[in-house]
Amino acid sequence: PPESSLLIDNQPYQLNQYGEIADPLLLGSGSYSYVVSAKDYYEEKGTFVVNGSKVERTVNLKPAHGFLKVAGNDPLQGASVYVDGNLIGTAPCKSGRLSSGSHTVRIIKNMYKESSETVTIRDGETLDYSPSLKADFASVTLKTSAGADIYVDGQKKGNSTWTGDLRSGEHIFEAAM
């Protein structure tokens, strides 16, 4: 990857945007060790020998990362998705690079119970993730005598009859005429 770093015999060398040595490199005859590394990739180490002719070495680092793809089916559609406490978007969405291993995924959506789970990201793979959200609300219908205003938790909701969803918990219902 372009953000790779290169050490030859523990000396750093600048790489260009293509991950190639930026300036021509002249080395005397002999054996040299190299290390190529980049964040979220497996480091590659090796040796090469210079003996009077051009030496070219191509290194392709293996990913030590993957991705998380969260479905957008109902009720996930529009839910906030967090990975290790960082918001990555709203469902449906796909994460940026995630290091391989365990990560905590939290899904938050109004009127649903928060979902939190540990998932495992594998090298070079995209994990399709589609958790089920549990509703945390009930549909309520209130009927009063004709013309009475209906209030729920201090907010006017309607007149005579009101139907709506309320999150679980205590609520104050009032009818005023």
Side-chain angles (χ1 to χ4, degrees), residues 109-141:
K109 186 172 182 183
N110 190 30
M111 305 293 263
Y112 289 86
K113 292 185 179 181
E114 182 179 310
S115 169
S116 183
E117 187 175 357
T118 299
V119 298
T120 301
I121 300 297
R122 299 197 192 313
D123 295 346
E125 294 181 10
T126 297
L127 174 63
D128 287 317
Y129 185 63
S130 184
S132 59
L133 293 181
K134 294 182 180 164
D136 191 24
F137 66 92
S139 289
V140 176
T141 298

Side-chain angles (χ1 to χ4, degrees), residues 62-122:
K62 307 261 186 286
H65 66 269
F67 302 90
L68 176 72
K69 183 178 174 186
V70 179
N73 54 320
D74 214 22
L76 283 173
Q77 179 75 37
S80 297
V81 179
Y82 294 82
V83 175
D84 299 330
N86 299 311
L87 178 67
I88 65 163
T90 56
C93 63
K94 183 177 178 181
S95 72
R97 262 190 340 217
L98 296 172
S99 59
S100 298
S102 296
H103 295 273
T104 301
V105 178
R106 280 182 39 227
I107 310 286
I108 299 173
K109 186 172 182 183
N110 190 30
M111 305 293 263
Y112 289 86
K113 292 185 179 181
E114 182 179 310
S115 169
S116 183
E117 187 175 357
T118 299
V119 298
T120 301
I121 300 297
R122 299 197 192 313

Side-chain angles (χ1 to χ4, degrees), residues 25-88:
L25 181 60
L26 298 174
L27 297 172
S29 293
S31 180
Y32 297 89
S33 65
Y34 68 88
V35 178
V36 180
S37 61
K39 183 181 182 330
D40 295 329
Y41 286 84
Y42 290 104
E43 179 177 275
E44 184 173 319
K45 296 178 181 182
T47 60
F48 61 93
V49 176
V50 175
N51 59 7
S53 61
K54 180 178 178 180
V55 176
E56 193 169 305
R57 174 71 46 112
T58 300
V59 175
N60 291 310
L61 298 180
K62 307 261 186 286
H65 66 269
F67 302 90
L68 176 72
K69 183 178 174 186
V70 179
N73 54 320
D74 214 22
L76 283 173
Q77 179 75 37
S80 297
V81 179
Y82 294 82
V83 175
D84 299 330
N86 299 311
L87 178 67
I88 65 163

Side-chain angles (χ1 to χ4, degrees), residues 2 4-7 11-17 19-24:
S4 298
S5 65
L6 169 66
L7 297 176
Q11 290 291 107
Y13 287 87
Q14 188 70 35
L15 301 177
N16 64 21
Q17 70 268 23
E20 301 167 338
I21 294 177
D23 298 315

